[in-house]
Amino acid sequence: MRGPGRFFNRRLQVWRPVTTDDGYGGQTTVYVQQPGTVRAKVDQPSNADRLLAAQAQSRHDHTVFLLPRADVRRGDELRGTDHLGQAQTFRVLATVQPSTPVYTKAPCQLIQKAGG
């Protein structure tokens, strides 16, 4: 029998925000690509997830499932392509694991490029 990893049919890059001094008394934040990729499954949120997001005024529009040891954190961006080869960027709003860690669930917001 194959493990749950067979459902994770995409590879996404993890980009993490890093804040540095800008040399003028302020700070700037840039996203830095983390080594490697993570296996993922990208879904539309369930009706229950949509209801919770609406009540919390969240921008949750996609749910990304990851293997439980994936180093993905709130605020990270997950970048990759969809099944049509179109670039996608998802901002991670949170990460949650069930009591038995068989996956990590990450509510995300799809970030669309200007003009898209």
Side-chain angles (χ1 to χ4, degrees):
M1 177 167 220
R2 296 160 72 189
R6 71 181 181 275
F7 298 110
F8 298 90
N9 58 1
R10 292 180 61 181
R11 293 214 176 256
L12 301 173
Q13 300 170 338
V14 178
W15 291 72
R16 185 150 298 143
V18 176
T19 303
T20 59
D21 291 331
D22 65 6
Y24 299 98
Q27 293 183 323
T28 185
T29 300
V30 297
Y31 282 84
V32 176
Q33 184 177 358
Q34 303 302 295
T37 59
V38 293
R39 291 177 59 190
K41 178 178 185 283
V42 178
D43 282 344
Q44 298 291 323
S46 69
N47 287 336
D49 287 339
R50 288 177 201 264
L51 179 61
L52 287 172
Q55 290 173 341
Q57 297 179 341
S58 171
R59 295 186 170 149
H60 175 196
D61 55 21
H62 284 77
T63 300
V64 177
F65 292 91
L66 306 150
L67 292 174
R69 293 182 186 222
D71 183 15
V72 174
R73 305 172 191 171
R74 179 176 171 231
D76 285 352
E77 288 186 353
L78 302 174
R79 300 180 187 179
T81 56
D82 65 12
H83 66 284
L84 299 174
Q86 300 293 314
Q88 291 183 314
T89 299
F90 300 97
R91 174 110 4 99
V92 178
L93 303 173
T95 59
V96 180
Q97 282 189 341
S99 57
T100 302
V102 292
Y103 61 83
T104 297
K105 181 178 178 180
C108 295
Q109 176 188 10
L110 178 64
I111 306 298
Q112 294 185 344
K113 301 294 180 198

